[in-house]
Amino acid sequence: NAGVMQNPRHLVRRRGQEARLRCSPMKGHSHVYWYRQLPEEGLKFMVYLQKENIIDESGMPKERFSAEFPKEGPSILRIQQVVRGDSAAYFCASSPPGLAGGEQFFGPGTRLTVL
Amino acid sequence: DQQVKQNSPSLSVQEGRISILNCDYTNSMFDYFLWYKKYPAEGPTFLISISSIKDKNEDGRFTVFLNKSAKHLSLHIVPSQPGDSAVYFCAASGSGSARQLTFGSGTQLTVLP
């Protein structure tokens, strides 16, 4: 049973370009979460999605960031017009349907560098 | 405002001794607490969790203690092994739709051979 897959593992963009980060959850998991880790900090929640629905996006910056989890295919975190401050590690996690509080399984992360 | 705090950025312990990592939280609505271990350039790996209705949970060398009145939890690793050297994150979540994890800033554990 493959774990959470993220690609690309490393992404370099110039200021003003778009970044697309992909996440395939574990088989049987219908809940996806995105977190961001800035250097020397802990992980910060960004958005929680279920298939075709955004459940909680309270951690998402109001502009330039969007996320989706379509009926078919991976979840996508999209950052438009990237700036240097977007440089970070972006982690996706998934969990099965069921009670809250269960563990979340993390992918290896995408390291975004904005030049 | 940090709702989950790990006040020790680093900890060094001799192999075979006990490692104690601490975590404090401020939000009394948290229902579940989890510990994750993270190596460089990898995603966090789940270690152990505890529900707010319990005060202790044990899994092999890892034990988590929860003191609700003090809003404090700790992870005990005994005996510590060099392979335990990593960054340890404490995390908390609520119930219902509040499933997102709120993380502390992490503690770098170094186990010396």
Side-chain angles (χ1 to χ4, degrees):
Chain A
N1 186 14
V4 177
M5 311 280 282
Q6 287 189 251
N7 69 81
R9 293 291 306 274
H10 300 274
L11 182 61
V12 179
R13 285 287 178 265
R14 296 192 179 279
R15 281 178 296 169
Q17 291 184 319
E18 178 180 287
R20 280 186 179 237
L21 289 63
R22 294 174 184 77
C23 169
S24 296
M26 286 181 70
K27 187 175 181 180
H29 288 192
S30 56
H31 300 256
V32 166
Y33 315 80
W34 286 92
Y35 295 85
R36 177 166 67 173
Q37 185 182 24
L38 296 171
E40 309 301 324
E41 294 187 11
L43 283 75
K44 297 282 196 294
F45 167 76
M46 299 180 75
V47 62
Y48 163 33
L49 310 106
Q50 295 179 19
K51 284 283 187 183
E52 300 185 281
N53 282 305
I54 296 175
I55 306 302
D56 181 352
E57 56 182 347
S58 59
M60 287 276 270
K62 296 287 183 253
E63 298 177 349
R64 303 187 297 107
F65 285 72
S66 62
E68 62 176 5
F69 188 17
K71 186 176 180 181
E72 301 290 338
S75 175
I76 307 284
L77 179 68
R78 182 183 179 204
I79 311 172
Q80 294 179 290
Q81 299 176 319
V82 297
V83 301
R84 288 224 173 99
D86 297 332
S87 295
Y90 292 81
F91 293 97
C92 168
S94 72
S95 67
L99 295 176
E103 65 181 277
Q104 295 177 14
F105 297 81
F106 282 81
T110 294
R111 274 138 194 92
L112 172 65
T113 302
V114 179
L115 301 177
Chain B
D1 177 34
Q2 271 191 293
Q3 297 188 64
V4 177
K5 294 181 183 179
Q6 294 177 256
N7 291 318
S8 298
S10 62
L11 174 69
S12 290
V13 171
Q14 209 67 37
E15 181 179 5
R17 307 294 290 268
I18 185 171
S19 295
I20 300 176
L21 297 101
N22 294 301
C23 178
D24 297 293
Y25 63 96
T26 57
N27 189 340
S28 58
M29 300 300 290
F30 287 141
D31 274 346
Y32 298 91
F33 302 90
L34 308 91
W35 284 94
Y36 282 83
K37 174 181 179 180
K38 186 180 181 303
Y39 294 114
E42 294 184 12
T45 301
F46 171 77
L47 275 176
I48 191 168
S49 64
I50 188 167
S51 162
S52 61
I53 63 174
K54 295 186 175 181
D55 56 16
K56 177 183 176 181
N57 188 25
E58 193 171 355
D59 184 2
R61 296 187 297 116
F62 301 93
T63 303
V64 56
F65 296 91
L66 175 63
N67 182 333
K68 280 190 69 177
S69 60
K71 292 190 175 69
H72 177 84
L73 65 154
S74 61
L75 174 68
H76 292 209
I77 306 172
V78 55
S80 302
Q81 300 172 355
D84 296 329
S85 297
V87 177
Y88 288 78
F89 289 100
C90 167
S93 75
S95 58
S97 62
R99 297 178 63 120
Q100 69 270 23
L101 296 176
T102 301
F103 281 85
S105 53
T107 297
Q108 171 70 58
L109 173 66
T110 302
V111 179
L112 304 167

